Amino acid sequence: MRQAPLRHGTMRERNLAVVLGEIARRQPVSRARLAEATGFTKTTVSSLVASLAGAGLVREDGPVRDGERGRPATAVSVNGDRVAGLGLEINVDYLAACVLDLGRRIRHRHIVAADNRDRAPERVIAALTGLAARAISAAGEQGLSVAGAVVALPGTLDQGGGLVRSAPNLGWDDVAAGELLDAGLPGLPLPADYDNEANLAALGELWFGDGPALGSYVHVSGEIGIGAGIVVDGRVFRGAHGFAGELGHVVVDPGGPPCACGGRGCLEQVAGQEAILRGAGMTAATATSSASPDGPLSALVARLERGDERALAAVRRAGEALGQALATAVNLLDPDTIVLGGIFSGLAPWARPATEAALAGGAGLVRRSPPRITVSRLGGDAAALGAASLVVERVLDDPARLVTRC
């Protein structure tokens, strides 16, 4: 099938992305090296670098030596002080915002405790857009212009449109979250994008955690609900309709308690945050007393450290159920690594042994040995970090949107 010829504007857009990508990979790098790496003429490279610099995407400062002899050349690097990405997250018991510059440095981070269960979507999204406005203002005070936003949403959603098909723990069905967010977010150069929070947490792990060393992995995102982000060869696997990774609704106890999804005995009814707290004999007031997604677990961790038998039993049961669910995932996906994120990262010292034992002894496990289990260092920050990083990736992949606005 013949492709349509590239228009001049389209070719320049592509070339801007090629040069910016090489700068990001090789920085600090000279224009001469960029010409060698891209195959473009030095004149073309100079023109493209000038356009990128004019948009605040790259800077030229300091010397870089191309070889053993001759005068040092001027170094070109990604500019982390002008453009930023905004990551936003809606979760069952909190809202979050994170700003990253193009060097993926955290410039602003804010988490607000909020019980969003059965709260009108319009109210939740109004609160989130207010949080976004404050984040954009904080970025502006640092000389940063926010290029775009990516929103982490719970539950299953249609890719690209921001339609939340089902978020049982929020009580949302067929909510046009994307439309509501578009109306509340200010006009940014890049249109807002949306993804499942577990997918974005997995990307956060890729870019801020152990990254490529994990191989292909399943990132378990545990909060009140439980999701899994599946990364294969550095890319998120979403399934045919974008619904892959709903680990929390794998049945681990057919006679167990009813789940908001309509089933019974789902994993999150045994191993979700509220199920663990109930099993440990902790009150709802304890579970909602902190303004951090890790906060509801602080009192639980204190009990675990004291050797409280009821707390230890609840966490062991959760770890065992998680291992049972993961055994099914391992047979289906054959990952190199399982990453415990969200609440499971903080509970890992007590839950992980039971998870490893259940996974190793999983009925029908076809592998000779289970995948290794690691613990995320990101905790509850993973999804917002992944969302903001996705904006950075979009800028690097398509800088022409910002160049043409200069």
Side-chain angles (χ1 to χ4, degrees), residues 85-141:
L86 173 62
L88 300 168
E89 180 183 5
I90 294 174
N91 213 303
V92 178
D93 55 357
Y94 67 89
L95 303 173
C98 176
V99 175
L100 295 180
D101 65 29
L102 291 192
R104 288 200 172 91
R105 294 173 296 178
I106 298 174
R107 295 299 197 98
H108 173 82
R109 175 178 174 271
H110 193 194
I111 297 175
V112 177
D115 186 355
N116 295 317
R117 282 165 291 200
D118 299 317
R119 190 179 178 194
E122 294 80 3
R123 292 185 61 198
V124 174
I125 290 170
L128 186 71
T129 55
L131 196 63
R134 292 193 291 275
I136 291 169
S137 176
E141 292 172 0

Side-chain angles (χ1 to χ4, degrees), residues 212-307:
L214 298 170
S216 293
Y217 61 94
V218 175
H219 180 279
V220 180
S221 181
E223 304 292 346
I224 291 175
I226 299 174
I230 304 161
V231 174
V232 180
D233 296 331
R235 301 178 70 87
V236 171
F237 173 76
R238 292 181 169 83
H241 302 95
F243 300 162
E246 287 297 315
L247 187 69
H249 298 291
V250 171
V251 176
V252 294
D253 181 7
C259 181
C261 74
R264 298 189 69 90
C266 294
L267 174 64
E268 65 183 44
Q269 295 304 310
V270 179
Q273 177 177 292
E274 290 192 334
I276 295 172
L277 292 170
R278 283 196 305 270
M282 299 179 69
T283 65
T286 302
T288 57
S289 62
S290 172
S292 164
D294 297 325
L297 298 179
S298 59
L300 174 61
V301 169
R303 294 191 185 195
L304 293 168
E305 290 174 340
R306 292 197 303 267

Side-chain angles (χ1 to χ4, degrees), residues 30-108:
S30 69
R31 295 186 184 203
R33 287 293 188 200
L34 287 171
E36 291 178 9
T38 61
F40 301 154
T41 67
K42 292 182 180 179
T43 300
T44 297
V45 167
S46 292
S47 173
L48 295 170
V49 168
S51 295
L52 293 168
L57 300 177
V58 302
R59 59 156 55 104
E60 297 180 272
D61 55 4
V64 61
R65 189 171 292 279
D66 281 339
E68 296 297 325
R69 299 181 180 180
R71 296 173 57 188
T74 301
V76 183
S77 302
V78 170
N79 185 0
D81 294 325
R82 289 278 300 278
V83 176
L86 173 62
L88 300 168
E89 180 183 5
I90 294 174
N91 213 303
V92 178
D93 55 357
Y94 67 89
L95 303 173
C98 176
V99 175
L100 295 180
D101 65 29
L102 291 192
R104 288 200 172 91
R105 294 173 296 178
I106 298 174
R107 295 299 197 98
H108 173 82

Side-chain angles (χ1 to χ4, degrees), residues 208 348 383 385 388:
F208 287 88
L385 283 170

Side-chain angles (χ1 to χ4, degrees), residues 163-251:
L163 177 65
V164 179
R165 288 294 186 189
S166 177
N169 291 313
L170 287 176
W172 290 10
D173 288 296
D174 292 327
V175 172
E179 292 181 10
L180 295 171
L181 284 161
D182 287 343
L185 288 171
L188 300 176
L190 302 177
D193 202 359
Y194 315 92
D195 205 343
N196 174 269
E197 59 85 19
N199 290 339
L200 290 170
L203 288 175
E205 193 66 34
L206 181 67
W207 290 318
F208 287 88
D210 291 331
L214 298 170
S216 293
Y217 61 94
V218 175
H219 180 279
V220 180
S221 181
E223 304 292 346
I224 291 175
I226 299 174
I230 304 161
V231 174
V232 180
D233 296 331
R235 301 178 70 87
V236 171
F237 173 76
R238 292 181 169 83
H241 302 95
F243 300 162
E246 287 297 315
L247 187 69
H249 298 291
V250 171
V251 176

